[in-house]
Amino acid sequence: MAVRIRLRRMGKTNSPSYRVMVADKRSPRDGKFIEQIGYYRPIQKELDIKLDRAEYWLSQGASPSETVERLIKMARAGEWKVQPKEEPQPEEPKVEENKAEEPQPEEPKVEEPQPEEPKVEEPKVEEPKVEEPKAEKE
């Protein structure tokens, strides 16, 4: 079986990214593969190849494509090393030096008078007087 190390196209239109794959020479570019040994993103200038696996496959008789051969040389030279992503640090509150040196007196809080709401008087409703019938005397 003839083994080849080549690139597999990934990504969107006009935003290419490639995976470095070990595949049978007869399989299509984006088809069946044996092992993935890295990735290459030309726009972000990122390259990550597992050199130990690449050396293993080269020792087993795999032939790299021209581009992959160039990328392996770049990886060996240490060009385009992928930096590990740093975890975002929580932001510390910023303290200005001038304000920290000179404590300023606190201004007394002045309460503003609240506007009084006009009182609405309810109209007085007088209850009609009901006269009770006088009881007749017997």
Side-chain angles (χ1 to χ4, degrees):
M1 173 167 73
V3 178
R4 188 142 174 102
I5 303 174
R6 61 181 176 210
L7 297 176
R8 177 182 194 169
R9 169 77 189 240
M10 306 296 287
K12 300 177 185 176
T13 306
N14 298 326
S15 178
S17 63
Y18 301 92
R19 291 186 182 169
V20 182
M21 310 300 282
V22 177
D24 184 2
K25 192 175 189 175
R26 296 171 289 179
S27 64
R29 178 191 75 173
D30 295 339
K32 188 176 175 183
F33 64 93
I34 299 170
E35 182 181 359
Q36 176 184 339
I37 61 171
Y39 64 87
Y40 170 54
R41 295 184 184 126
I43 293 177
Q44 292 90 4
K45 296 190 178 183
E46 292 181 8
L47 171 65
D48 184 26
I49 296 177
K50 299 174 188 171
L51 289 175
D52 57 336
R53 295 305 297 166
E55 296 296 332
Y56 168 77
W57 283 107
L58 291 172
S59 69
Q60 296 298 314
S63 59
S65 67
E66 292 177 10
T67 306
V68 171
E69 190 173 2
R70 181 177 50 87
L71 292 176
I72 290 174
K73 286 180 184 177
M74 288 170 55
R76 285 180 184 150
E79 298 176 27
W80 285 11
K81 274 290 185 186
V82 177
Q83 300 295 328
K85 293 183 180 178
E86 296 180 8
E87 296 180 13
Q89 300 293 330
E91 294 183 18
E92 296 180 13
K94 295 180 182 179
V95 177
E96 294 182 18
E97 293 177 14
N98 296 340
K99 290 184 178 180
E101 293 174 5
E102 300 174 15
Q104 295 181 357
E106 293 183 20
E107 295 180 14
K109 294 182 181 178
V110 178
E111 293 184 19
E112 296 181 15
Q114 298 292 329
E116 294 183 19
E117 295 182 19
K119 294 181 181 178
V120 178
E121 295 182 18
E122 295 181 16
K124 294 181 180 177
V125 178
E126 294 182 19
E127 294 181 19
K129 293 183 180 177
V130 179
E131 294 182 20
E132 295 179 16
K134 295 182 181 177
E136 292 181 16
K137 294 183 183 176
E138 290 181 20

